[in-house]
Amino acid sequence: MAAVPVELFEHTAGGAIWPGFGFLLWGTEATVREGRYRWVVVVAVVILAAGYGVMRWWQGPQVYGYVIDSMPLVQTVVATGRVATVSRTRIGSEVTGVALDRLVEEGDTVEPGDPLLVLRADDIAARVRQAETAITQLETATRPLARVVLERTEFELAQARRELERRRALAARSLLSSEALEQAREAVRLANNALEAARLSATALAPGGVEEALLRDRLAAVQAELDKTVVRSEVSGTVLTRDVEPGDLVQPGRALFTIALRGGTEIRVPLDERNLSRLALGQNAAVLADAYPDQPFSARIDFIAPSIDPQRGTVEVRLAVDPVPEFLRQDMTVSVNIETGRRERVPVIPNDALGEVQGDRAKVWMLRDGRLQRQTLTLGLRGLVMSEVLAGLEAGDRVLADVSAPMQEGARVRFRQRVVPLSGIREGEDTGNEPPVRFD
């Protein structure tokens, strides 16, 4: 097909004008028609793009946010604490001595009477043998001798009385002087005194008498002192510390062992005083030991200190543990999650949408009719991730997730919903407005 000449701003039977070039184009009729269609498409695309841009500009920037919903809410106070026994006892020695043998180690379980430490006791053992020898001497020598003395004095008294009677008879016939008679009377008196002394001695030395009781008491005292050279446990529990080694000089008043009494275990948690209004006796808690993260156990608040630590600004809370897990150890570090409140179904808002939080008041960016509006809320329970809305929002309302974004009241925005973080806060994530409930 022959080419058709086309002049600028003119139409011919076989061609068309291509605007915007300002020079003569030569082409077939099909080529000219194709160029016209391309130009129409380009113009349409430009118009559509401009219209889309204008519409986006009119709608405002895209923002992310949450849709308020009603759901169950649990308020918790999270803290770190340590395991402690309700009571401990410190055991020492009542006598001075050199440690000979230590019989227990840390972690051993002991019962009342179990030996813990043996002291060298050679001198005390010698005194015990002396006391035992004294009792043996009493039984085998002193007591029989006293009976012999008693019998002899009885015989001597009887002989002195017979002699007195004989001399009286002689004196009656004037065959004996009064002086000799007086000597006989004195002999009877002395023999009678000797018999009385022998009877008293025999009574004191008799089985169960005063002398035997005295010797046995002396033996018991020395044996008790000897028994004290073996340091024994007075309670049932677990040995926490032992501060003595063989060869150490042990003196009264020095604590040698610390024993945690069996049957009472608690967790001591220092909580920020700002949480005091949320705490109450009997509140339940979930506890997780750092050493056993897959074995949680339960506890409950048993004590809230009546005073605040002025240096740290904390209040001590003690949680009772019952039953006590077998793996729990003294001074073990645990994480405590105390449940301080629960709601079955209430409107809730993620904490990162809250701004200017003061007590139970907060502000949010709320979307109404496509425009931003600053809204004041009244909050109820505060959790780690979500908070209860008492007033200011209802289920279905939309709020911005980034409360710190530079926005203007009444500005148009395009809302895009973000998933509510129901699973909790990931480690290391900063919510920006997490309530003060996590402390070490």
Side-chain angles (χ1 to χ4, degrees):
M1 181 181 296
V4 180
V6 181
E7 296 183 0
L8 191 61
F9 305 122
E10 293 183 359
H11 293 271
T12 66
I17 299 175
W18 287 14
F21 287 89
F23 54 82
L24 184 64
L25 298 177
W26 292 85
T28 64
E29 182 179 357
T31 302
V32 174
R33 186 181 300 114
E34 182 180 355
R36 180 188 303 151
Y37 292 156
R38 288 180 178 177
W39 171 249
V40 172
V41 171
V42 170
V43 172
V45 169
V46 171
I47 293 174
L48 289 175
Y52 182 79
V54 171
M55 181 184 66
R56 286 297 192 186
W57 173 82
W58 181 80
Q59 290 179 337
Q62 178 176 279
V63 295
Y64 291 88
Y66 303 113
V67 177
I68 302 301
D69 194 7
S70 296
M71 61 185 66
L73 181 65
V74 177
Q75 178 178 264
T76 59
V77 174
V78 179
T80 299
R82 290 196 177 276
V83 177
T85 55
V86 174
S87 57
R88 305 181 186 183
T89 182
R90 292 179 173 84
I91 297 179
S93 174
E94 298 182 51
V95 297
T96 301
V98 177
L100 188 64
D101 189 14
R102 190 189 64 242
L103 305 178
V104 294
E105 301 289 343
E106 290 94 336
D108 289 350
T109 301
V110 295
E111 299 293 338
D114 287 352
L116 307 177
L117 180 70
V118 177
L119 302 179
R120 191 182 303 279
D122 297 341
D123 56 337
I124 302 177
R127 285 155 52 195
V128 170
R129 290 192 296 269
Q130 289 176 354
E132 292 173 342
T133 301
I135 293 177
T136 302
Q137 183 179 6
L138 171 66
E139 295 173 345
T140 60
T142 308
R143 184 179 296 155
L145 180 60
R147 287 196 295 266
V148 171
V149 172
L150 177 62
E151 293 176 357
R152 187 185 65 194
T153 54
E154 288 176 346
F155 174 77
E156 290 176 348
L157 176 60
Q159 186 179 12
R161 285 175 177 174
R162 287 194 298 271
E163 181 64 20
L164 177 60
E165 292 300 326
R166 187 179 67 82
R167 291 187 179 189
R168 280 178 178 173
L170 293 174
R173 291 181 291 171
S174 299
L175 297 177
L176 189 68
S177 65
S178 59
E179 182 180 355
L181 180 61
E182 188 63 29
Q183 289 176 350
R185 289 174 179 168
E186 183 65 18
V188 170
R189 188 181 66 81
L190 291 176
N192 191 57
N193 291 341
L195 176 59
E196 189 65 25
R199 284 177 178 173
L200 292 175
S201 179
T203 301
L205 296 173
V210 175
E211 189 67 21
E212 182 178 356
L214 180 61
L215 293 177
R216 293 196 179 279
D217 287 345
R218 187 177 301 166
L219 174 61
V222 180
Q223 285 179 333
E225 190 174 355
L226 180 63
D227 290 341
K228 292 177 181 178
T229 61
V230 179
V231 180
R232 301 178 183 274
S233 174
E234 300 293 335
V235 296
S236 298
T238 303
V239 178
L240 298 181
T241 62
R242 47 117 179 116
D243 300 318
V244 62
E245 298 292 339
D248 289 349
L249 177 62
V250 174
Q251 294 179 337
R254 173 187 170 189
L256 305 177
F257 299 91
T258 301
I259 298 179
L261 273 62
R262 184 178 302 164
T265 300
E266 63 184 13
I267 296 173
R268 298 183 180 182
V269 183
L271 292 176
D272 192 286
E273 60 181 304
R274 290 176 293 175
N275 292 305
L276 189 57
S277 62
R278 302 184 177 97
L279 302 175
L281 295 177
Q283 288 177 337
N284 295 322
V287 186
L288 200 63
D290 292 355
Y292 299 89
D294 57 341
Q295 300 185 51
F297 58 95
S298 60
R300 59 179 176 80
I301 294 183
D302 191 52
F303 172 81
I304 301 175
S307 60
I308 304 298
D309 185 339
Q311 302 298 326
R312 304 175 58 188
T314 59
V315 57
E316 184 182 64
V317 175
R318 301 177 190 173
L319 293 90
V321 181
D322 187 21
V324 180
E326 294 184 359
F327 61 82
L328 218 56
R329 298 290 185 271
Q330 178 69 27
D331 295 324
M332 180 178 284
T333 302
V334 295
S335 298
V336 179
N337 194 331
I338 304 173
E339 181 178 318
T340 57
R342 177 182 291 270
R343 299 287 188 269
E344 293 304 323
R345 194 166 188 84
V346 292
V348 296
I349 183 172
N351 290 330
D352 55 353
L354 301 176
E356 301 181 26
V357 180
Q358 294 183 354
D360 61 349
R361 297 282 182 173
K363 291 186 178 181
V364 297
W365 283 113
M366 177 184 178
L367 191 63
R368 178 168 294 173
D369 298 330
R371 295 181 180 274
L372 289 178
Q373 176 180 320
R374 200 64 165 167
Q375 182 72 14
T376 301
L377 308 181
T378 302
L379 303 177
L381 292 184
R382 303 279 318 271
L384 286 175
V385 180
M386 312 290 289
S387 294
E388 177 188 9
V389 178
L390 296 179
L393 290 175
E394 298 179 352
D397 288 342
R398 297 178 295 174
V399 296
L400 266 62
D402 186 5
V403 71
S404 62
M407 296 294 177
Q408 292 184 355
E409 184 92 17
R412 289 185 177 274
V413 293
R414 290 177 289 116
F415 182 81
R416 184 170 181 179
Q417 185 174 352
R418 177 177 290 180
V419 178
V420 177
L422 297 179
S423 60
I425 301 175
R426 296 184 296 273
E427 184 176 357
E429 181 178 356
D430 182 10
T431 64
N433 288 288
E434 179 180 336
V437 294
R438 177 178 292 163
F439 298 95
D440 288 333

